[in-house]
Amino acid sequence: MSVAFLVAPEGFEQVELTEPWQAVERAGGLPKLISTKAGEVRGFDHLDRADAFHVDAGIDAVGSGDFDALVLPGGLANPDFLRTQPKAVEFVRRFFAEGKPVAAICHALWILVEADLVRGRQVTSWPSLRTDLENAGATWVDEAVVVCTAGTNTLITSRKPDDLPAFDKAIVAEFAEFVRVGKNR
């Protein structure tokens, strides 16, 4: 299974990239780092600059058809930047249109709000996004992880880095289920 991890050039919460990435790898998946431009991206540990990561492909060089699933790490600046990039918003929309699973944690749901993809969905997120999500038509709950199948695809959401064990377990299970039956629907 090929899994896209979409991040901005700077400002994503590093652990929300690295831990799900490792979970996908341990499960035999092939994670690929995608950003709005080729080169390197910079993670953050809350508000502090952290490590640099090599981008596998800029968003201009790939499409949703190149992947089986999408993970959207959070961080405060990351999704705020991505939601202003039409190509990033359209990239995310295509996964929903194609019925592919999408996982988003923390503030990453902002790009889903921008793309009008949470209407009628049950989600969780960093608590400060609750009003944004409810105003966009979602039902927000305060849980470690939410798996919502009430839409065109499976949407896995989580609140914060402390919830990563539950988030990682859910994405591995849901992505594996998609490979097992979802592709053949």
Side-chain angles (χ1 to χ4, degrees), residues 1-5 24 28-32 34 62-71 91-92 94-103 152-156 171-172 174-185:
M1 167 172 247
S2 182
V3 181
F5 283 73
V24 166
L30 301 169
K32 298 289 181 189
I34 310 304
V62 295
S64 58
D66 298 319
F67 304 99
D68 299 306
L70 173 64
V71 176
F91 183 74
V92 173
R94 296 300 314 147
F95 281 87
F96 281 74
E98 294 166 10
K100 295 178 180 179
V102 173
T152 59
N153 68 332
T154 298
L155 176 60
I156 306 117
I171 66 171
V172 167
E174 293 301 321
F175 292 178
E177 181 67 8
F178 177 74
V179 168
R180 189 177 74 75
V181 298
K183 286 182 169 182
N184 301 318
R185 288 183 192 167

Side-chain angles (χ1 to χ4, degrees), residues 33-86:
L33 188 57
I34 310 304
S35 189
T36 55
K37 62 180 185 171
E40 285 191 340
V41 293
R42 174 77 56 183
F44 272 64
D45 181 11
H46 302 293
L47 299 176
D48 298 323
R49 289 173 61 87
D51 299 328
F53 297 86
H54 172 74
V55 173
D56 292 307
I59 204 157
D60 290 334
V62 295
S64 58
D66 298 319
F67 304 99
D68 299 306
L70 173 64
V71 176
L72 299 167
L76 188 59
N78 175 55
D80 195 47
F81 174 80
L82 289 175
R83 68 195 270 184
T84 68
Q85 304 301 303

Side-chain angles (χ1 to χ4, degrees), residues 72-158:
L72 299 167
L76 188 59
N78 175 55
D80 195 47
F81 174 80
L82 289 175
R83 68 195 270 184
T84 68
Q85 304 301 303
K87 289 180 181 179
V89 173
E90 185 56 28
F91 183 74
V92 173
R93 274 191 187 118
R94 296 300 314 147
F95 281 87
F96 281 74
E98 294 166 10
K100 295 178 180 179
V102 173
I105 185 168
C106 199
H107 288 81
L109 282 82
W110 266 339
I111 194 169
L112 303 181
V113 169
E114 185 67 31
D116 193 23
L117 296 169
V118 297
R119 191 171 313 283
R121 307 299 292 264
Q122 184 175 45
V123 299
T124 194
S125 68
W126 186 256
S128 66
L129 274 67
R130 178 182 183 164
T131 300
D132 295 338
L133 289 160
E134 289 177 343
N135 286 342
T139 300
W140 188 90
V141 295
D142 187 12
E143 296 178 12
V145 68
V146 173
V147 177
C148 179
T149 57
T152 59
N153 68 332
T154 298
L155 176 60
I156 306 117
T157 56
S158 198

